[in-house]
Amino acid sequence: MSVSAAIATHLVLALTLSSTVLVVTACGGALATGPKPFLLDWETSPSEVEVGESFTLTIRIYEVQLPGEHGGISVSFPSLTDGSHSSDTFSSTVADVEAVSYTTGLSNVAFHGPGKTIYHKDDNRMFPAEYLLVESDDPSWLPSDDRTLTLRITPKLGGEFPMRLRGWICAEEYTRCKRNPVSGDGTDQQGHGVTVVTVAVSPTSN
């Protein structure tokens, strides 16, 4: 083969490989993003309150893509670092939290107060909660499921009241889990990505 022919052949191979890489990259990006495992919506009503007034936080999971053996909604409250709790209420000097309703019944909603042992995503190690975690957990999820958790929160101090929320569905027990959000606005004490929601709390007008 002549030198010019060899150069021409090399150029053709290089262009072919370049095109292949571009195609693989494009396909990989499309496959990586894909459809979300489920949709997660939330709403606060109202979005601003005075000290002592209540608002509701409603979180919804719907349009589930694949069935799961466990899943639910997790809401954590980084400002609620002490207080007392029962099966469906929490009370502190900062705010009170109450579970109002859940699609499959409040028996599936648990209050994990500060100091209670919870899981961290790293090696599933257990540690004492630093602040309140409210979590629903259902043993079965189907693509037709549409579930909503509603909490009533009554702040007792002025300022921004933060909440961190996320949804999760696991294919097998508590493994092979899909989450929304995947990364989110930040992380919670368990190391998972969350959507950060805040409600403005102003001093009482009187």
Side-chain angles (χ1 to χ4, degrees):
M1 179 183 293
S2 66
V3 174
S4 59
I7 293 174
T9 301
H10 178 75
L11 287 172
V12 169
L13 286 172
L15 289 171
T16 302
L17 288 173
S18 176
S19 298
T20 302
V21 169
L22 288 173
V23 170
V24 170
T25 302
C27 290
L31 291 174
T33 53
K36 291 184 178 180
F38 54 86
L39 296 184
L40 181 76
D41 284 344
W42 59 269
E43 180 182 18
T44 58
S45 179
S47 59
E48 297 182 7
V49 295
E50 291 185 354
V51 169
E53 291 182 341
S54 299
F55 68 90
T56 58
L57 170 66
T58 301
I59 311 104
R60 178 188 176 202
I61 287 181
Y62 62 106
E63 292 193 15
V64 178
Q65 298 300 309
L66 295 171
E69 289 189 0
H70 269 281
I73 297 166
S74 300
V75 188
S76 53
F77 300 84
S79 63
L80 303 185
T81 56
D82 56 48
S84 60
H85 69 281
S86 65
S87 59
D88 58 2
T89 61
F90 178 88
S91 181
S92 76
T93 57
V94 176
D96 294 339
V97 180
E98 176 188 4
V100 176
S101 63
Y102 183 59
T103 302
T104 58
L106 285 176
S107 60
N108 294 316
V109 179
F111 277 59
H112 305 284
K116 187 168 182 180
T117 301
I118 58 177
Y119 282 101
H120 194 280
K121 74 169 188 176
D122 293 340
D123 301 320
N124 283 331
R125 64 180 174 86
M126 301 183 73
F127 72 104
E130 299 173 7
Y131 46 81
L132 175 65
L133 165 68
V134 178
E135 187 168 67
S136 68
D137 184 355
D138 286 324
S140 175
W141 284 83
L142 298 172
S144 59
D145 284 331
D146 187 332
R147 295 173 182 171
T148 299
L149 170 66
T150 299
L151 304 176
R152 179 183 294 114
I153 298 102
T154 308
K156 299 177 181 179
L157 298 175
E160 295 290 327
F161 186 81
M163 298 163 286
R164 300 173 182 176
L165 56 94
R166 59 185 173 86
W168 51 281
I169 296 178
C170 302
E172 184 177 355
E173 284 296 321
Y174 295 99
T175 63
R176 296 164 53 203
C177 301
K178 302 294 184 181
R179 307 181 189 280
N180 190 352
V182 175
S183 56
D185 305 322
T187 57
D188 59 15
Q189 61 189 330
Q190 294 173 281
H192 294 296
V194 292
T195 295
V196 177
V197 178
T198 60
V199 167
V201 183
S202 58
T204 54
S205 55
N206 51 8

